[in-house]
Amino acid sequence: GVAYNILGISQLALGKLNQAKLSFRRSLELSPEPEVHLALGSVYFETNQLSLAEIELDKAISLRPLMAEAFRMKGRIAMAQGNARKAAVGFERSLQINPGHIATYALIAEALKISGDSKEAQRFRELERRLTQ
């Protein structure tokens, strides 16, 4: 499984998304690792297959519940689907796990602003500003 995962990562870096998808699927057949589910979910996200991406992220989270990147990606999917409130929940969970990921503060602030909670959005923008100083 590891060889297919490495191959998939290389293909992803080269922009060969379909080949990467096949390599990650083969890797998962041999060994269902949460990082590979995350990687496959990322490929599905990049190819705008959002429901398939979410399925892979849920599998990653079921194997490793404290995977901040999977929750961040779920937030990005929700934003792409036009569900800012759901996106904010994903970003918030990601920050609970990894409060040091500065880019997530901007993501949650944007989601909150779109969903109509400008006061909370401003609070996260302020936290982001403090962290980047």
Side-chain angles (χ1 to χ4, degrees):
V2 174
Y4 283 104
N5 187 32
I6 293 169
L7 180 60
I9 292 167
S10 301
Q11 292 162 329
L12 187 58
L14 293 170
K16 298 180 177 183
L17 299 178
N18 285 328
Q19 292 98 319
K21 204 182 302 182
L22 295 172
S23 295
F24 290 138
R25 282 190 196 138
R26 184 72 183 116
S27 177
L28 287 169
E29 287 170 12
L30 298 168
S31 177
E33 296 295 326
E35 293 81 9
V36 182
H37 283 293
L38 175 65
L40 183 54
S42 298
V43 173
Y44 283 134
F45 179 77
E46 294 298 327
T47 57
N48 208 32
Q49 295 174 285
L50 302 181
S51 58
L52 291 174
E54 197 156 22
I55 289 168
E56 291 304 321
L57 295 170
D58 287 340
K59 289 177 182 176
I61 291 166
S62 73
L63 292 168
R64 182 159 304 134
L66 298 179
M67 188 175 249
E69 182 59 35
F71 285 102
R72 189 169 28 263
M73 181 70 63
K74 282 181 64 107
R76 291 179 63 206
I77 290 168
M79 283 295 279
Q81 293 170 327
N83 190 339
R85 192 150 306 282
K86 180 180 176 186
V89 171
F91 296 141
E92 185 173 19
R93 184 68 185 115
S94 179
L95 284 174
Q96 288 170 348
I97 297 166
N98 182 5
H101 194 272
I102 295 166
T104 307
Y105 288 87
L107 292 170
I108 193 171
E110 184 64 20
L112 288 165
K113 182 180 170 191
I114 291 169
S115 66
D117 192 346
S118 56
K119 186 176 181 181
E120 192 68 355
Q122 187 57 42
R123 187 174 76 82
F124 278 100
R125 289 231 185 271
E126 189 56 42
L127 286 169
E128 178 192 16
R129 250 193 304 281
R130 275 192 239 139
L131 287 169
T132 53
Q133 288 178 350

